[in-house]
Coordinates of all heavy atoms in Angstrom, one line a residue:
V9 N 102.1 143.6 161.0 CA 103.5 144.1 160.6 C 104.3 143.1 159.9 O 104.9 143.4 158.9 CB 104.2 144.6 162.0 CG1 105.7 144.9 161.6 CG2 103.5 145.7 162.5
V10 N 104.2 141.8 160.3 CA 105.1 140.8 159.7 C 104.3 139.8 159.0 O 104.8 138.9 158.3 CB 106.0 140.1 160.8 CG1 107.0 141.0 161.2 CG2 105.1 139.4 161.8
G11 N 103.0 139.8 159.1 CA 102.1 139.0 158.3 C 101.7 137.8 159.4 O 102.5 137.3 160.1
E12 N 100.5 137.3 159.2 CA 99.9 136.3 160.1 C 100.8 135.0 160.1 O 100.9 134.3 161.2 CB 98.5 136.0 159.8 CG 97.5 137.1 160.2 CD 96.1 136.6 159.9 OE1 95.8 135.5 160.3 OE2 95.4 137.5 159.6
S13 N 101.4 134.7 158.9 CA 102.2 133.4 158.9 C 103.4 133.4 159.8 O 103.9 132.4 160.1 CB 102.6 133.1 157.5 OG 103.5 134.1 157.0
R14 N 103.7 134.6 160.3 CA 105.0 134.7 161.0 C 104.7 134.9 162.4 O 105.6 135.3 163.3 CB 105.9 135.8 160.5 CG 106.5 135.4 159.1 CD 107.5 136.4 158.6 NE 108.7 136.3 159.4 CZ 109.5 137.4 159.4 NH1 109.4 138.4 158.7 NH2 110.6 137.4 160.3
V15 N 103.4 134.9 162.9 CA 103.1 135.2 164.2 C 102.6 133.8 164.9 O 101.8 133.1 164.4 CB 101.8 136.1 164.2 CG1 101.3 136.2 165.6 CG2 102.2 137.5 163.7
I16 N 103.1 133.6 166.1 CA 102.9 132.4 166.9 C 102.0 132.9 168.0 O 102.5 133.8 168.8 CB 104.1 131.8 167.4 CG1 104.9 131.2 166.3 CG2 103.7 130.6 168.4 CD1 106.4 130.7 166.6
D17 N 100.8 132.4 168.0 CA 99.8 133.0 169.1 C 99.6 132.0 170.1 O 98.7 132.1 171.0 CB 98.6 133.6 168.5 CG 97.7 132.5 167.9 OD1 98.3 131.4 167.7 OD2 96.7 133.0 167.4
R18 N 100.2 130.7 170.2 CA 100.0 129.7 171.1 C 101.3 129.0 171.3 O 102.0 128.6 170.4 CB 98.9 128.7 170.6 CG 98.6 127.6 171.6 CD 97.6 126.6 171.0 NE 97.2 125.8 172.0 CZ 96.1 125.9 172.6 NH1 95.3 126.9 172.4 NH2 95.7 125.1 173.6
V19 N 101.6 128.7 172.5 CA 102.9 128.0 173.0 C 102.4 126.8 173.7 O 101.8 126.8 174.7 CB 103.9 128.9 173.8 CG1 105.0 128.1 174.3 CG2 104.2 130.1 173.1
D20 N 102.8 125.6 173.1 CA 102.3 124.3 173.8 C 102.9 124.0 175.1 O 102.3 123.5 176.0 CB 102.6 123.1 172.8 CG 101.8 123.2 171.6 OD1 100.7 123.8 171.6 OD2 102.3 122.7 170.4
A21 N 104.1 124.4 175.3 CA 104.9 124.2 176.6 C 104.7 125.4 177.4 O 105.0 126.6 176.9 CB 106.3 123.8 176.4
P22 N 104.7 125.2 178.7 CA 104.7 126.5 179.6 C 106.1 127.3 179.5 O 107.0 126.6 179.2 CB 104.5 125.9 181.0 CG 103.9 124.7 180.8 CD 104.4 124.0 179.5
N23 N 105.9 128.5 179.7 CA 107.1 129.3 179.4 C 107.0 130.5 180.6 O 106.0 131.1 180.7 CB 107.2 130.0 178.2 CG 108.3 130.8 178.0 OD1 108.8 131.7 178.7 ND2 109.1 130.4 176.9
M24 N 108.1 130.5 181.4 CA 108.1 131.5 182.5 C 108.7 132.9 182.0 O 109.0 133.9 182.9 CB 109.0 131.0 183.6 CG 108.5 129.8 184.3 SD 106.8 130.1 185.1 CE 107.3 131.2 186.5
G25 N 108.7 133.0 180.7 CA 109.2 134.3 180.1 C 108.5 135.5 180.6 O 109.1 136.6 180.6
G26 N 107.3 135.5 181.0 CA 106.5 136.7 181.4 C 106.6 136.9 182.9 O 106.2 137.9 183.4
E27 N 107.2 136.1 183.6 CA 107.3 135.9 185.0 C 106.1 136.6 185.7 O 105.1 135.9 185.7 CB 108.7 136.9 185.3 CG 109.9 136.3 184.8 CD 111.1 137.2 184.6 OE1 110.9 138.1 185.2 OE2 112.0 136.7 184.1
D28 N 106.2 137.7 186.4 CA 105.0 138.2 187.0 C 104.0 139.1 186.3 O 103.1 139.7 186.6 CB 105.3 138.9 188.3 CG 106.3 140.2 188.1 OD1 106.8 140.3 187.0 OD2 106.7 140.8 189.2
F29 N 104.4 139.2 184.8 CA 103.4 139.9 184.0 C 102.0 139.4 184.1 O 101.0 140.3 183.9 CB 103.9 139.7 182.6 CG 103.2 140.7 181.8 CD1 103.5 142.0 181.6 CD2 102.4 140.2 180.7 CE1 102.9 142.9 180.7 CE2 101.7 141.0 179.7 CZ 102.0 142.3 179.8
A30 N 101.8 138.3 184.5 CA 100.4 137.8 184.5 C 99.6 138.6 185.6 O 98.4 138.7 185.5 CB 100.4 136.2 184.9
Y31 N 100.3 139.0 186.7 CA 99.5 139.8 187.7 C 99.0 141.1 187.1 O 98.0 141.7 187.3 CB 100.5 140.2 188.8 CG 100.7 138.9 189.6 CD1 102.0 138.4 189.6 CD2 99.9 138.3 190.4 CE1 102.3 137.2 190.2 CE2 100.1 137.1 191.1 CZ 101.4 136.6 191.1 OH 101.7 135.5 191.7
F32 N 99.8 141.7 186.1 CA 99.3 142.9 185.4 C 98.0 142.6 184.6 O 97.1 143.4 184.4 CB 100.3 143.6 184.5 CG 101.6 144.2 185.1 CD1 102.7 143.5 185.3 CD2 101.3 145.4 185.7 CE1 103.7 144.1 186.0 CE2 102.4 146.0 186.5 CZ 103.6 145.3 186.6
L33 N 98.0 141.4 183.9 CA 97.0 141.0 183.0 C 95.8 140.7 183.8 O 94.6 140.7 183.3 CB 97.5 139.7 182.2 CG 98.5 140.0 181.2 CD1 98.8 138.8 180.5 CD2 98.1 141.2 180.3
N34 N 95.9 140.4 185.2 CA 94.7 140.2 186.0 C 94.0 141.6 186.2 O 92.8 141.5 186.6 CB 95.1 139.7 187.3 CG 95.4 138.1 187.3 OD1 94.8 137.6 186.4 ND2 96.2 137.7 188.1
Q35 N 94.6 142.7 186.0 CA 94.1 144.0 186.3 C 93.6 144.7 185.0 O 92.6 145.5 185.0 CB 95.1 144.9 187.0 CG 95.6 144.3 188.3 CD 94.5 144.0 189.3 OE1 93.6 145.0 189.4 NE2 94.4 143.0 190.0
V36 N 94.4 144.7 183.9 CA 94.1 145.2 182.7 C 94.3 144.4 181.5 O 95.2 143.3 181.7 CB 95.0 146.5 182.3 CG1 94.7 147.5 183.5 CG2 96.3 146.3 182.4
P37 N 93.6 144.5 180.4 CA 93.9 143.6 179.2 C 95.3 143.9 178.7 O 95.9 144.9 178.8 CB 92.9 144.0 178.2 CG 91.8 144.9 178.9 CD 92.5 145.4 180.1
G38 N 95.9 142.9 178.1 CA 97.3 143.1 177.6 C 97.8 141.8 176.9 O 97.1 140.8 176.8
A39 N 99.1 141.9 176.4 CA 99.6 140.7 175.9 C 101.0 140.8 176.0 O 101.7 141.9 176.3 CB 99.3 140.8 174.4
F40 N 101.7 139.7 175.9 CA 103.2 139.6 176.2 C 103.8 139.2 174.8 O 103.3 138.2 174.1 CB 103.6 138.5 177.1 CG 105.0 138.5 177.6 CD1 105.4 139.4 178.6 CD2 106.0 137.9 177.1 CE1 106.7 139.5 179.1 CE2 107.3 137.8 177.5 CZ 107.6 138.7 178.6
M41 N 104.8 139.9 174.4 CA 105.3 139.7 172.9 C 106.8 139.4 173.1 O 107.6 140.0 173.7 CB 105.1 141.0 172.2 CG 105.7 141.0 170.8 SD 105.6 142.6 169.9 CE 106.9 143.5 170.6
F42 N 107.1 138.3 172.4 CA 108.6 137.9 172.3 C 109.0 138.4 170.8 O 108.2 138.2 169.8 CB 108.6 136.4 172.3 CG 108.6 135.8 173.6 CD1 107.3 135.2 173.9 CD2 109.6 135.8 174.5 CE1 107.3 134.7 175.2 CE2 109.5 135.3 175.9 CZ 108.4 134.6 176.1
L43 N 110.1 139.0 170.8 CA 110.7 139.5 169.6 C 111.9 138.5 169.3 O 112.9 138.8 170.0 CB 111.0 141.0 169.5 CG 111.7 141.5 168.2 CD1 110.9 141.2 166.9 CD2 112.0 142.8 168.4
S44 N 112.0 137.4 168.6 CA 113.1 136.8 168.5 C 114.2 137.2 167.5 O 113.8 137.8 166.5 CB 112.6 135.3 167.9 OG 113.6 134.5 167.7
S45 N 115.5 137.1 167.9 CA 116.5 137.6 167.0 C 117.4 136.4 166.8 O 118.6 136.6 166.4 CB 117.3 138.7 167.5 OG 118.0 138.3 168.7
S46 N 116.9 135.1 167.0 CA 117.5 133.9 166.7 C 117.9 133.6 165.3 O 117.0 133.5 164.5 CB 116.9 132.8 167.5 OG 117.6 131.6 167.3
N47 N 119.1 133.7 164.9 CA 119.4 133.4 163.5 C 120.8 132.6 163.5 O 121.9 133.1 163.7 CB 119.5 134.8 162.7 CG 119.9 134.5 161.3 OD1 120.3 133.4 160.9 ND2 119.7 135.6 160.5
P48 N 120.7 131.3 163.3 CA 121.9 130.6 163.3 C 123.0 131.1 162.4 O 124.3 130.9 162.7 CB 121.5 129.1 162.9 CG 120.0 129.2 163.2 CD 119.5 130.5 163.0
E49 N 122.6 131.5 161.1 CA 123.6 132.0 160.2 C 124.5 133.1 160.8 O 125.5 133.4 160.3 CB 122.9 132.4 158.9 CG 122.2 131.2 158.2 CD 121.5 131.6 156.9 OE1 121.4 132.8 156.6 OE2 120.8 130.7 156.4
K50 N 123.7 134.1 161.6 CA 124.6 135.1 162.2 C 125.0 134.9 163.6 O 125.5 135.9 164.3 CB 123.5 136.3 162.3 CG 123.1 136.8 160.9 CD 122.3 138.1 161.1 CE 121.9 138.7 159.8 NZ 121.1 139.8 159.7
H51 N 124.8 133.6 164.0 CA 125.3 133.2 165.4 C 124.6 134.0 166.5 O 125.2 134.3 167.6 CB 126.9 133.2 165.6 CG 127.6 132.6 164.4 ND1 127.7 131.1 164.3 CD2 128.3 133.1 163.4 CE1 128.3 130.9 163.2 NE2 128.7 132.1 162.6
T52 N 123.4 134.3 166.3 CA 122.5 135.0 167.3 C 121.5 134.0 168.0 O 120.4 134.5 168.5 CB 121.8 136.2 166.8 OG1 121.0 135.9 165.6 CG2 122.8 137.3 166.3
D53 N 121.8 132.7 167.9 CA 120.9 131.7 168.4 C 121.2 131.3 169.7 O 120.9 130.1 170.1 CB 120.8 130.6 167.4 CG 122.0 129.9 166.9 OD1 123.1 130.5 167.2 OD2 121.9 128.8 166.5
V54 N 121.9 132.1 170.5 CA 122.4 131.6 171.9 C 121.4 132.2 172.8 O 121.0 133.4 172.7 CB 123.8 132.2 172.1 CG1 124.3 131.9 173.5 CG2 124.9 131.8 171.1
P55 N 121.0 131.5 173.9 CA 120.0 131.9 174.8 C 120.5 133.2 175.6 O 121.7 133.4 175.7 CB 119.9 130.8 175.7 CG 120.5 129.5 175.1 CD 121.5 130.0 174.1
H56 N 119.5 133.9 176.0 CA 119.7 135.1 176.9 C 120.6 134.6 178.1 O 120.6 133.4 178.6 CB 118.5 135.6 177.4 CG 117.7 136.3 176.3 ND1 116.3 136.1 176.4 CD2 118.0 136.8 175.2 CE1 115.8 136.7 175.2 NE2 116.8 137.2 174.6
H57 N 121.2 135.5 178.8 CA 122.1 135.3 180.0 C 123.2 134.4 179.8 O 123.7 133.8 180.7 CB 121.1 134.8 181.1 CG 119.9 135.6 181.4 ND1 119.9 136.8 181.9 CD2 118.6 135.3 181.2 CE1 118.7 137.4 181.9 NE2 117.9 136.4 181.6
N58 N 123.6 134.3 178.4 CA 124.8 133.6 178.1 C 125.8 134.5 177.7 O 125.6 135.5 177.0 CB 124.4 132.5 176.9 CG 125.5 131.8 176.5 OD1 126.7 132.1 176.2 ND2 125.3 130.4 176.5
P59 N 127.0 134.4 177.9 CA 128.1 135.3 177.6 C 128.2 135.5 176.1 O 128.7 136.5 175.7 CB 129.4 134.9 178.2 CG 129.2 133.6 178.8 CD 127.6 133.3 178.9
R60 N 127.9 134.6 175.4 CA 128.0 134.6 173.8 C 126.6 135.2 173.3 O 126.6 135.2 172.0 CB 128.2 133.4 173.3 CG 129.8 132.8 173.7 CD 130.1 131.4 173.0 NE 129.1 130.4 173.3 CZ 128.4 129.6 172.3 NH1 128.7 129.8 171.1 NH2 127.6 128.7 172.7
F61 N 125.7 135.5 174.0 CA 124.4 136.0 173.5 C 124.7 137.3 172.7 O 125.5 138.2 173.0 CB 123.4 136.4 174.7 CG 122.3 137.2 174.1 CD1 121.2 136.3 173.5 CD2 122.0 138.4 174.2 CE1 120.0 137.0 173.2 CE2 120.8 139.1 173.9 CZ 119.9 138.2 173.3
N62 N 123.9 137.4 171.5 CA 124.1 138.6 170.7 C 122.8 138.7 169.9 O 122.0 137.9 169.9 CB 125.1 138.3 169.6 CG 125.7 139.6 169.0 OD1 125.2 140.7 169.2 ND2 126.4 139.5 167.8
V63 N 122.4 139.9 169.7 CA 121.1 140.3 169.1 C 121.3 140.5 167.5 O 122.3 141.2 167.2 CB 120.6 141.5 169.7 CG1 119.4 142.0 168.9 CG2 120.3 141.3 171.1
D64 N 120.3 140.0 166.7 CA 120.4 140.2 165.2 C 119.6 141.6 165.1 O 118.5 141.7 165.2 CB 119.7 139.1 164.5 CG 119.6 139.5 163.0 OD1 120.1 140.5 162.6 OD2 118.9 138.7 162.4
E65 N 120.4 142.7 165.1 CA 119.8 144.0 165.0 C 119.0 144.3 163.7 O 118.1 145.2 163.7 CB 120.9 145.1 165.1 CG 121.6 145.0 166.3 CD 122.7 146.1 166.4 OE1 122.9 146.9 165.5 OE2 123.4 146.2 167.5
D66 N 119.1 143.4 162.8 CA 118.2 143.5 161.6 C 116.6 143.3 162.0 O 115.8 143.5 161.1 CB 118.5 142.6 160.5 CG 119.9 142.9 159.9 OD1 120.2 144.1 160.0 OD2 120.5 142.1 159.3
V67 N 116.3 142.7 163.1 CA 114.9 142.5 163.4 C 114.4 143.5 164.4 O 113.1 143.6 164.7 CB 114.8 141.2 164.1 CG1 115.1 139.9 163.2 CG2 115.3 140.9 165.4
L68 N 115.2 144.5 164.9 CA 114.8 145.5 165.8 C 113.6 146.4 165.3 O 112.8 146.7 166.1 CB 115.9 146.3 166.4 CG 117.0 145.5 167.1 CD1 118.1 146.4 167.7 CD2 116.3 144.8 168.3
W69 N 113.6 146.6 164.0 CA 112.5 147.5 163.4 C 111.1 146.8 163.6 O 110.1 147.5 163.8 CB 112.8 147.6 161.9 CG 112.6 146.4 161.0 CD1 113.6 145.5 160.8 CD2 111.3 146.0 160.6 NE1 112.9 144.5 160.0 CE2 111.5 144.9 159.8 CE3 110.1 146.5 160.5 CZ2 110.7 144.1 159.1 CZ3 109.0 145.8 159.8 CH2 109.3 144.6 159.1
I70 N 111.1 145.3 163.8 CA 109.8 144.8 163.9 C 109.2 145.2 165.3 O 108.1 145.5 165.3 CB 110.1 143.3 163.8 CG1 110.4 142.9 162.4 CG2 108.7 142.5 164.0 CD1 110.9 141.4 162.3
G71 N 110.0 145.2 166.3 CA 109.6 145.6 167.6 C 109.0 147.0 167.6 O 108.0 147.3 168.1
S72 N 109.8 147.9 167.1 CA 109.3 149.4 166.9 C 108.1 149.4 166.1 O 107.1 150.2 166.5 CB 110.5 150.1 166.3 OG 111.6 150.0 166.9
A73 N 107.9 148.8 165.0 CA 106.8 148.8 164.2 C 105.6 148.2 164.9 O 104.4 148.7 164.7 CB 107.0 148.0 162.8
M74 N 105.8 147.2 165.6 CA 104.7 146.6 166.4 C 104.2 147.6 167.5 O 102.8 147.8 167.6 CB 105.1 145.4 167.2 CG 105.4 144.1 166.3 SD 103.7 143.6 165.6 CE 102.7 143.1 167.1
F75 N 105.0 148.4 168.2 CA 104.5 149.4 169.1 C 103.8 150.5 168.4 O 102.9 151.0 169.0 CB 105.6 149.8 170.0 CG 106.1 148.8 171.0 CD1 107.3 148.2 171.0 CD2 105.2 148.5 172.1 CE1 107.6 147.2 172.0 CE2 105.5 147.4 173.1 CZ 106.7 146.9 172.9
V76 N 104.3 150.9 167.3 CA 103.7 151.9 166.5 C 102.3 151.4 166.2 O 101.3 152.3 166.3 CB 104.5 152.3 165.3 CG1 103.6 153.3 164.3 CG2 105.7 153.1 165.6
K77 N 102.1 150.1 165.6 CA 100.8 149.6 165.3 C 99.9 149.7 166.4 O 98.6 149.9 166.3 CB 101.0 148.2 164.6 CG 99.8 147.6 164.2 CD 99.1 148.5 163.1 CE 99.7 148.4 161.6 NZ 99.0 149.2 160.7
I78 N 100.3 149.1 167.7 CA 99.6 149.1 168.8 C 99.0 150.5 169.2 O 97.8 150.7 169.5 CB 100.4 148.5 170.0 CG1 100.7 147.0 169.7 CG2 99.7 148.7 171.2 CD1 101.8 146.5 170.6
A79 N 99.9 151.6 169.0 CA 99.4 152.9 169.4 C 98.5 153.4 168.4 O 97.3 154.0 168.7 CB 100.7 153.7 169.3
E80 N 98.7 153.2 167.1 CA 97.7 153.4 166.0 C 96.4 152.8 166.4 O 95.3 153.5 166.2 CB 98.2 153.0 164.6 CG 99.3 154.0 164.2 CD 99.9 153.4 162.9 OE1 99.6 152.2 162.4 OE2 100.6 154.0 162.3
R81 N 96.2 151.5 166.6 CA 94.9 150.8 166.9 C 94.3 151.3 168.2 O 93.0 151.6 168.1 CB 95.2 149.4 167.0 CG 95.4 148.8 165.7 CD 95.2 147.3 165.6 NE 95.5 146.8 164.4 CZ 95.4 145.5 164.0 NH1 95.5 144.5 165.0 NH2 95.8 145.1 162.8
F82 N 95.1 151.8 169.1 CA 94.5 152.2 170.3 C 93.8 153.5 170.1 O 92.8 153.9 170.5 CB 95.6 152.5 171.5 CG 95.1 153.3 172.7 CD1 94.5 152.4 173.6 CD2 95.4 154.5 172.9 CE1 94.0 153.0 174.8 CE2 95.0 155.1 174.1 CZ 94.3 154.4 175.0
L83 N 94.6 154.5 169.3 CA 93.9 155.8 169.1 C 92.7 155.7 168.1 O 91.9 156.5 168.2 CB 95.1 156.6 168.2 CG 96.3 157.0 169.2 CD1 97.4 157.6 168.4 CD2 95.8 157.9 170.4
E84 N 92.7 154.7 167.4 CA 91.4 154.4 166.5 C 90.3 154.1 167.4 O 89.2 154.4 166.9 CB 91.7 153.4 165.5 CG 92.6 153.7 164.3 CD 92.9 152.4 163.4 OE1 92.6 151.3 163.7 OE2 93.8 152.5 162.5
M85 N 90.5 153.6 168.5 CA 89.4 153.2 169.3 C 88.8 154.4 170.1 O 87.7 154.2 170.6 CB 89.9 152.2 170.4 CG 90.3 150.9 169.8 SD 91.1 149.6 171.0 CE 90.5 150.0 172.5
E86 N 89.5 155.4 170.2 CA 89.0 156.5 170.9 C 87.9 157.3 170.2 O 87.8 157.3 169.1 CB 90.1 157.5 171.2 CG 91.0 157.0 172.2 CD 92.2 158.1 172.8 OE1 92.3 159.0 172.2 OE2 92.8 157.6 173.6

């Protein structure tokens, strides 16, 4: 959807962002996806759970397109 150059598939430092999602992955294959809307120019680079947090709505289409692509690939497997 966004091209391989914009995909990060490895994080060097541990991240608790998935919380207990790992328990689901013990049962079924899956992946955890982060959709970043951090953009200093739009002041959307404030962490979650901060009263100044804001979302750059210009990136929301990427999340929707990713889920469409996942569904398309799933249907191709049948």
Side-chain angles (χ1 to χ4, degrees):
V9 171
V10 294
E12 286 188 40
S13 66
R14 295 186 64 197
V15 174
I16 299 170
D17 63 357
R18 181 182 192 101
V19 178
D20 293 329
N23 184 308
M24 294 298 290
E27 299 164 9
D28 58 357
F29 186 71
Y31 293 107
F32 290 102
L33 297 180
N34 283 330
Q35 302 299 315
V36 295
F40 195 84
M41 177 179 76
F42 285 99
L43 177 62
S44 177
S45 71
S46 179
N47 184 337
E49 293 176 6
K50 294 183 177 182
H51 307 289
T52 60
D53 56 340
V54 177
H56 296 142
H57 309 292
N58 182 303
R60 295 184 304 126
F61 175 75
N62 196 9
V63 173
D64 178 3
E65 294 180 359
D66 291 338
V67 303
L68 295 180
W69 71 269
I70 297 170
S72 299
M74 284 297 299
F75 284 116
V76 167
K77 184 59 74 177
I78 290 166
E80 289 174 344
R81 288 195 177 173
F82 177 77
L83 293 172
E84 288 173 1
M85 294 173 25
E86 291 186 352

